[in-house]
Amino acid sequence: MRIDFETCPARYRHWTLATEGTVAELVLAVDETGGLFDGYELKLNSYDLGVDIELHDAVQRLRFEHPEVRSVVIRSGRDRVFCAGANIRMLAGSSHGHKVNFCKFTNETRNAMEDASAHSGQRYIAAINGACAGGGYELALACDHIILVDDGTSAVSLPEVSVLAVLPGTGGITRVTDKRKVRRDRADILCTTEEGVRGQRARDWRLVDEVVPGSRFDAAVAARAEASTAASDRPAQDSGMMLEPLERHFEPDRVRYGLVDVTFERAARRATITVSGPASGPPETPDAIPRHSSRFWPLELARELDDALLHLRFNEPDITIVQFRSEGDPALVLAHDGFLCAHASHWLVREVSLFWTRVMKRVDLTSRSLLALVEQGSCFAGFLAELVLACDRSFMAEGRFEGDNRPDAALALTASSFGVHPMANGLSRLATRFLGEPEHLERLREETGTLLDADSAAELGLVTAACDDIDWEDEVRLFLEERASFSPDALTGLEANTRFAGPETMETKIFGRLSAWQNWIFQRPNATGPDGALRLYGTGRRAGFDRERV
Amino acid sequence: MSDATAVNYETSIPNNVGLSHDRRVLRALERWHPGYLDWWHQMGPDGFQDSLVYLRTAVDVGAKGWAKFDYVRMPDYRWGILLAPPVEDRVIGFGQHRGEPAWQEVPGEYRAMLRRLCVIQGDTEPASVEQQRHLGKTAPSLYDMRNLFQVNVEEARHLWAMVYLLQKYFGRDGREDAEDLLLRRSGDPDRPRMLGAFNEETPDWLSFFMFTFFTDRDGKMQLESLARSGFDPLSRTTRFMLTEEAHHMFVGETGVARVIQRTCEAMRDAGIGDVDDIEAVRALGVIDLPTIQKKANLHYSLSLDLFGSEISTNAANAYNAGLKGRYREERIEDDHRLEHDTYPVLSLVDGEAVTVDAPALTALNMRLRDDYARDAAAGIARWNRVIERTGIPFRVTLPSVAFNRAIGTFAPIEADPDGTIIARETFEARRHDWLPSPADGDFIASLMEQQTEPGTYAGWIAPPRSGIDNKPGDFEYVRLS
């Protein structure tokens, strides 16, 4: 079964999205029988990937299609339960790879919510009207403001350690300690107490922002939504950007989008993603941007690339190397890049730019070896150059190859290369790349807007190697063959280490530290062995632990 | 001075737990008790706090001590902490610890689970007192009024029993839980009691009798399961609570039986043979049998919800851990571990109710509910014998488990009382054929008038066959102030 990340509100089974004026409500009422796979029922508003795909879609549409929405209330459509978190039977029945991809995707979606709260003037409010456990609390933690009903029973909890012998893998612990800055011993109590923390204590410990009796709950949520609205800079009147269904064609060894083409060489465990530059320049003004996604090149490219990355992660696990190529006129890309930079404060331009940042982070976090091929006729300029900088290795073609009359390969940095699209560590890809040579960044700034040839790009350290037509084919082939021969696990670990030099942020901790531990714990018999807690959950049998501390 | 200082905790609280030497519990009780008395004054029987009530007080667990009768003002009732006598060398009877000595202290790894069991059980006890607090004003006799108050003080004593366990064995968390038990309120939208049926109204005496018959019987089944607990203090506590719970069900069963008896006799005397001639029956000032059936339908279905989901991980965990057993566990012939057994569970598959074999460990709620249904059916049969004796052609029946459910497999669908699955619109259209309508409630309410003369009974209920503590028919069970 191919897992598809395309959906729209009319097709949601688990969420409803309703807007009224400046406030949107996202209501979770999970269809128990609507699991993505067989073998489990989504009880108590627990979720699986299918539920989260809808949330991801809703978050995205709210940003683009609803310029008027300034606050988003997440609430439950079920009585006395907010959300019980990721479905345990689903987790217990999933392959390790699926679990990891699932956790990664849910984290990325939570980050997108925080990104909207921080940068889009669209703040998220969690309205917790009942039990809120595990991933349910992690969902709330991703919101800007948490309101918990004070009814003597409703609690927020992270029961992963005590019940399942795993960790809250969707950023739970990290958001408790780093975002909400909860004292470490209190965080320790929270994470080892199955029933969680409720009422005033939850407020006192900063686990939630407000506790309100049931009779005042709706009023408190409305008041908070109102307050968020006032603080937002989103436009009062503008038409939204319609996110149209993606143009996609699935073939056995190829996925064709309008601007992105993915081809597979399965024997070599290799995929090639080719992105196409724009056919024309940008509109005159932001107001002239066509409000249909398919008609605005940077947005449609980002959407297609995002979908292609998710498809690769979930549906093509055997692909070990992804190589990026591009085709197009770098001058037109630079024109679009300049347009995005010039109008950065316009809400829609800002959304497109923030979306590209998220797509690039998704590239950074894709556990495949990434290679950039900067060839003749390519257009890696401005924000598209981020793709080259995101790769583990990059080769750039030097000069004209025999029998090829396309323009020489060129690479161009712009203002957007210097921090408009930061990585999870908070730095630009250039700053991360030249962490030991901050003065080199100043040198690079001088090249802003210049179409750099292969020699210059290699000289400036922007690509791994420049190769002429004598060396090109062999260099690339040797790299690919060698890479494909290594252990995929070791490569995943290696690349996760080399890609994220520099400071730790909450995001890097979530993806690096937390999920590395979580993945290790997921593999251990204490969780997933025949007597492991996760495996035995729901049978009533008690887990048997190997008591050795490792 | 607050009431607290007037209580000598070391001597005035009947107990067999060595309270006078237990500093930890004494200190906790000193803090909790004033709040408890506030609660009783606020939420206990309304208007009768100064009346003298002929109540049974348990001062000891032995044959002599468990039933001392005397006139008491309810706020002065001696709520005590009484555990059934210890069984020497008691071992755990089921689950993975089967055969090991019963625990006298809480095992750390099961602390959270045990605490939750105590809190949920504890939360139901004050809830029913709250639900019934206005009924004294419409009591059909002093005999019934006294029974109501006896049930109330004993439910409150059951709260004490759980509070004792929480304070003795669960440290600061337990003390906080004990406080919270006094803060929640039945039917309060802001701080409701934990379980649904305990937030429903008990508007009239027929509801009260139905509640004690159906809902207290759930309490009995839960206590029976906890009486098997490997945690010995919980087992001993609940065993003693069961002796009191039996009286509550007696009140319910005989209460409904007396209502039925009165109705049937009135119909017979008036020559009414058609049970569905509701107007004619009501004109006699008695409650017609179809309305009694509707009340039974309502209370049975609400009580079934208290058993939770048919398939339950919590129940499986509690059993395997040796914390909560099955009804009459020791009489069941199997391995008492259930790791490889199955149990038939009525389930909803493709819109039809079918029996599916589920792992026995996860189907324990279903099993307990089946035991409950059998237990309730036996009481219903006794009601029907009352009807038969009068020759009226009617039988009270239990509705299907699929009928009017809010929890479990059948929650998402509607069914008629026979269990036939029907459309929601059909159910709504016929709702008041099967469940009490507001008009039915108004009619019953119109009959509810307080009787305060000793030996006098309201016209809609027959007198009991014998008195409490062998007292004569005109005994003054309550001296109204």
Side-chain angles (χ1 to χ4, degrees):
Chain A
M1 183 191 82
R2 179 168 60 80
I3 298 174
D4 192 348
F5 291 81
E6 268 259 278
T7 185
C8 61
R11 284 165 51 200
Y12 292 172
R13 294 185 70 171
H14 311 291
W15 291 91
T16 43
L17 172 58
T19 64
E20 194 179 330
T22 59
V23 180
E25 274 207 335
L26 260 175
V27 181
L28 179 64
V30 176
D31 175 357
E32 289 193 2
T33 60
L36 199 55
F37 304 102
D38 290 337
Y40 53 87
E41 287 181 348
L42 295 172
K43 300 211 164 168
L44 294 171
N45 256 6
S46 60
Y47 61 82
D48 68 352
L49 180 63
V51 178
D52 232 65
I53 287 172
E54 291 180 6
L55 175 62
H56 167 252
D57 182 74
V59 171
Q60 193 75 343
R61 285 183 195 278
L62 278 165
R63 297 177 78 152
F64 281 100
E65 297 185 349
H66 295 278
E68 79 286 1
V69 167
R70 299 169 168 218
S71 44
V72 183
V73 175
I74 294 198
R75 65 194 319 163
S76 158
R78 303 252 180 267
D79 222 18
R80 299 185 77 168
V81 58
F82 177 74
C83 170
N87 187 276
I88 307 307
R89 286 166 200 270
M90 175 278 293
L91 283 178
S94 299
S95 71
H96 183 69
H98 182 79
K99 278 198 288 263
V100 173
N101 272 323
F102 169 70
C103 287
K104 196 179 273 184
F105 177 74
T106 52
N107 272 309
E108 287 169 328
T109 304
R110 305 302 176 274
N111 288 351
M113 290 164 56
E114 289 181 326
D115 185 51
S117 283
H119 300 123
S120 287
Q122 205 167 64
R123 289 179 184 265
Y124 279 76
I125 299 163
I128 304 175
N129 63 325
C132 175
Y137 183 44
E138 294 179 308
L139 176 62
L141 284 168
C143 294
D144 195 50
H145 190 87
I146 306 177
I147 303 175
L148 171 66
V149 70
D150 186 12
D151 59 2
T153 44
S154 295
V156 296
S157 65
L158 292 174
E160 283 84 351
V161 170
S162 51
V163 177
L164 305 171
V166 296
L167 296 182
T170 311
I173 306 171
T174 307
R175 285 200 172 85
V176 165
T177 55
D178 284 48
K179 181 180 185 183
R180 304 195 67 89
K181 301 184 170 57
V182 174
R183 219 173 68 193
R184 57 175 288 186
D185 47 355
R186 289 172 170 173
D188 186 276
I189 292 173
L190 172 71
C191 294
T192 52
T193 309
E194 185 186 341
E195 69 266 28
V197 179
R198 63 187 147 84
Q200 191 55 39
R201 181 178 293 170
R203 169 74 191 80
D204 292 344
W205 289 13
R206 281 199 300 276
L207 300 174
V208 304
D209 298 290
E210 281 181 74
V211 283
V212 202
S215 57
R216 292 202 286 111
F217 189 69
D218 288 346
V221 172
R224 184 67 210 181
E226 186 64 29
S228 302
T229 288
S232 170
D233 65 351
R234 288 174 79 83
Q237 298 238 321
D238 199 355
S239 39
M241 169 63 89
M242 276 278 296
L243 299 183
E244 298 163 290
L246 290 173
E247 185 195 335
R248 296 183 303 181
H249 303 280
F250 289 93
E251 296 163 19
D253 293 315
R254 189 174 186 191
V255 188
R256 280 190 295 126
Y257 298 81
L259 299 167
V260 172
D261 190 26
V262 188
T263 55
F264 299 97
E265 291 152 273
R266 298 189 184 283
R269 288 183 280 126
R270 186 160 71 228
T272 304
I273 299 181
T274 305
V275 300
S276 295
S280 57
E284 294 282 312
T285 65
D287 288 337
I289 298 173
R291 296 305 204 250
H292 290 84
S293 54
S294 66
R295 290 164 58 196
F296 190 47
W297 170 77
L299 175 57
E300 198 61 0
L301 179 73
R303 293 182 72 216
E304 292 178 0
L305 183 55
D306 204 38
D307 190 73
L309 289 167
L310 290 169
H311 174 70
L312 272 171
R313 282 194 194 169
F314 280 88
N315 299 318
E316 296 286 353
D318 293 334
I319 298 300
T320 206
I321 301 171
V322 176
Q323 48 188 17
F324 286 99
R325 297 178 62 255
S326 67
E327 287 172 356
D329 178 354
L332 285 176
V333 176
L334 285 175
H336 276 270
D337 185 83
F339 176 80
L340 295 180
C341 289
H343 302 288
S345 62
H346 185 272
W347 76 272
L348 181 52
V349 174
R350 177 171 72 186
E351 283 309 332
V352 172
S353 183
L354 288 169
F355 185 27
W356 185 254
T357 303
R358 295 197 298 282
V359 175
M360 286 310 306
K361 286 182 179 178
R362 195 146 12 234
V363 173
D364 295 332
L365 286 165
T366 296
S367 300
R368 312 295 166 91
S369 297
L370 304 178
L371 171 68
L373 297 176
V374 187
E375 298 157 290
Q376 291 84 353
S378 67
C379 57
F380 288 116
F383 66 87
L384 272 194
E386 295 293 305
L387 275 172
V388 178
L389 298 170
C391 286
D392 301 299
R393 303 273 191 99
S394 47
F395 293 105
M396 188 158 173
E398 195 183 321
R400 185 158 297 208
F401 290 3
E402 207 178 305
D404 186 342
N405 58 3
R406 294 174 300 173
D408 284 358
L411 189 68
L413 304 178
T414 63
S416 65
S417 313
F418 295 88
V420 175
H421 305 292
M423 298 175 64
N425 61 9
L427 304 181
S428 67
R429 283 177 190 76
L430 282 177
T432 306
R433 187 175 183 87
F434 299 108
L435 196 63
E437 307 154 67
E439 67 285 356
H440 189 58
L441 289 180
E442 294 315 309
R443 165 78 188 84
L444 290 173
R445 275 184 204 277
E446 292 165 15
E447 302 295 340
T448 296
T450 314
L451 288 179
L452 301 167
D453 64 16
D455 270 347
S456 311
E459 177 73 24
L460 289 166
L462 298 174
V463 294
T464 311
C467 308
D468 61 18
D469 69 344
I470 298 171
D471 289 337
W472 175 267
E473 208 167 308
D474 243 15
E475 287 285 336
V476 173
R477 180 185 63 80
L478 284 173
F479 167 76
L480 291 172
E481 288 180 1
E482 181 189 58
R483 199 71 170 185
S485 73
F486 292 137
S487 152
D489 298 336
L491 286 176
T492 295
L494 168 71
E495 291 152 3
N497 276 280
T498 54
R499 286 178 195 175
F500 300 96
E504 281 238 67
T505 62
M506 191 175 78
E507 264 183 70
T508 61
K509 283 187 190 174
I510 287 170
F511 289 110
R513 193 191 289 177
L514 175 68
S515 48
W517 280 112
Q518 171 75 314
N519 292 341
W520 177 72
I521 295 166
F522 263 150
Q523 290 284 42
R524 298 275 295 164
N526 286 341
T528 49
D531 290 326
L534 191 62
R535 178 70 60 84
L536 290 185
Y537 179 80
T539 64
R541 288 174 55 208
R542 190 175 60 150
F545 291 144
D546 175 349
R547 297 284 170 181
E548 184 192 6
R549 289 290 293 248
V550 179
Chain B
M1 298 296 281
S2 76
D3 284 321
T5 56
V7 181
N8 181 337
Y9 292 94
E10 303 196 20
T11 56
S12 69
I13 297 171
N15 74 88
N16 65 346
V17 294
L19 197 56
S20 59
H21 306 295
D22 193 333
R23 286 188 49 239
R24 170 202 273 210
V25 176
L26 274 177
R27 198 178 57 182
L29 262 184
E30 278 170 25
R31 290 197 192 146
W32 182 80
H33 190 250
Y36 169 76
L37 285 178
D38 283 350
W39 170 79
W40 179 268
H41 279 290
Q42 274 177 39
M43 300 310 293
D46 185 26
F48 300 89
Q49 299 282 355
D50 291 325
S51 305
L52 284 166
V53 186
Y54 191 70
L55 289 176
R56 181 184 64 227
T57 305
V59 296
D60 187 20
V61 293
K64 283 185 186 164
W66 86 274
K68 291 283 186 205
F69 284 92
D70 204 351
Y71 285 103
V72 184
R73 281 187 185 79
M74 283 184 280
D76 302 332
Y77 186 81
R78 294 177 68 203
W79 286 285
I81 301 167
L82 298 162
L83 276 57
V87 173
E88 212 171 319
D89 299 326
R90 182 165 175 262
V91 295
I92 299 166
F94 56 91
Q96 61 173 344
H97 298 289
R98 175 169 156 79
E100 296 172 22
W103 299 297
Q104 300 304 323
E105 293 291 336
V106 174
E109 61 181 317
Y110 300 136
R111 186 172 184 274
M113 228 191 296
L114 263 174
R115 195 176 134 212
R116 190 166 54 222
L117 288 175
C118 290
V119 168
I120 291 175
Q121 182 63 40
D123 194 65
T124 64
E125 312 290 359
S128 61
V129 177
E130 293 161 1
Q131 289 169 298
Q132 296 158 11
R133 67 184 301 248
H134 297 298
L135 289 176
K137 283 174 270 188
T138 55
S141 71
L142 293 181
Y143 165 88
D144 289 294
M145 189 190 285
R146 178 260 162 218
N147 282 351
L148 166 70
F149 295 156
Q150 183 73 54
V151 169
N152 290 165
V153 293
E154 284 177 351
E155 295 294 3
R157 202 199 69 74
H158 292 179
L159 167 65
W160 275 63
M162 289 300 134
V163 164
Y164 167 73
L165 292 178
L166 288 168
Q167 293 183 337
K168 167 105 179 142
Y169 296 101
F170 296 93
R172 199 190 64 176
D173 291 338
R175 290 197 291 276
E176 285 176 9
D177 287 332
E179 296 292 334
D180 288 349
L181 289 174
L182 298 175
L183 295 180
R184 286 186 284 270
R185 291 283 185 277
S186 176
D188 186 331
D190 283 349
R191 300 187 83 81
R193 293 289 169 189
M194 296 168 91
L195 302 176
F198 291 91
N199 289 304
E200 298 285 332
E201 282 187 29
T202 309
D204 57 64
W205 276 77
L206 184 55
S207 300
F208 169 65
F209 292 137
M210 289 290 180
F211 184 94
T212 43
F213 180 85
F214 284 111
T215 306
D216 282 343
R217 192 177 306 278
D218 160 72
K220 169 188 160 182
M221 304 309 287
Q222 302 299 336
L223 291 173
E224 287 275 2
S225 319
L226 295 174
R228 272 75 197 169
S229 182
F231 178 49
D232 205 41
L234 178 60
S235 162
R236 290 175 56 203
T237 303
T238 46
R239 267 183 275 152
F240 187 68
M241 288 162 74
L242 277 166
T243 59
E244 293 163 324
E245 204 70 30
H247 175 259
H248 305 177
M249 268 166 295
F250 161 84
V251 169
E253 184 177 325
T254 57
V256 177
R258 287 160 55 212
V259 176
I260 288 173
Q261 184 188 340
R262 182 72 194 94
T263 300
C264 291
E265 286 170 358
M267 287 172 68
R268 187 189 58 198
D269 295 348
I272 301 172
D274 180 4
V275 292
D276 290 322
D277 193 350
I278 289 168
E279 266 181 54
V281 175
R282 288 185 177 182
L284 301 173
V286 296
I287 304 170
D288 52 284
L289 296 172
T291 296
I292 294 173
Q293 175 69 59
K294 286 194 240 177
K295 283 274 196 185
N297 289 348
L298 174 66
H299 285 270
Y300 181 65
S301 53
L302 286 174
S303 300
L304 291 179
D305 280 345
L306 291 171
F307 289 86
S309 294
E310 289 84 350
I311 300 296
S312 164
T313 301
N314 286 340
N317 289 340
Y319 183 89
N320 192 49
L323 306 181
K324 186 178 176 188
R326 290 172 292 178
Y327 182 57
R328 300 188 170 167
E329 179 76 44
E330 60 284 347
R331 297 193 202 173
I332 301 171
E333 289 192 13
D334 60 16
D335 71 355
H336 300 277
R337 291 183 191 272
L338 307 183
E339 282 173 10
H340 310 292
D341 298 353
T342 60
Y343 186 84
V345 173
L346 195 60
S347 310
L348 197 61
V349 178
D350 299 332
E352 279 186 57
V354 290
T355 303
V356 176
D357 280 335
L361 209 46
T362 57
L364 288 163
N365 282 349
M366 179 72 193
R367 182 182 179 114
L368 192 64
R369 203 185 75 193
D370 284 346
D371 290 329
Y372 167 85
R374 271 190 291 276
D375 205 55
I380 304 274
R382 288 188 286 275
W383 292 348
N384 284 329
R385 282 201 284 281
V386 173
I387 305 176
E388 276 165 31
R389 277 199 290 273
T390 62
I392 304 286
F394 189 84
R395 290 181 64 77
V396 181
T397 54
L398 287 177
S400 158
V401 294
F403 172 75
N404 191 39
R405 297 298 305 283
I407 289 176
T409 305
F410 296 103
I413 56 98
E414 297 297 350
D416 68 15
D418 295 330
T420 306
I421 293 171
I422 53 176
R424 191 162 300 266
E425 302 78 59
T426 315
F427 179 85
E428 286 306 330
R430 297 206 57 192
R431 169 182 283 273
H432 293 141
D433 295 343
W434 300 323
L435 293 166
S437 67
D440 296 330
D442 291 345
F443 169 69
I444 296 172
S446 75
L447 299 178
M448 297 292 126
E449 279 184 30
Q450 192 186 41
Q451 301 296 322
T452 55
E453 279 299 307
T456 308
Y457 288 82
W460 53 271
I461 188 167
R465 261 189 264 163
S466 56
I468 294 293
D469 194 27
N470 295 318
K471 294 298 177 191
D474 60 351
F475 185 73
E476 191 179 11
Y477 287 101
V478 182
R479 289 183 186 152
L480 297 169
S481 50

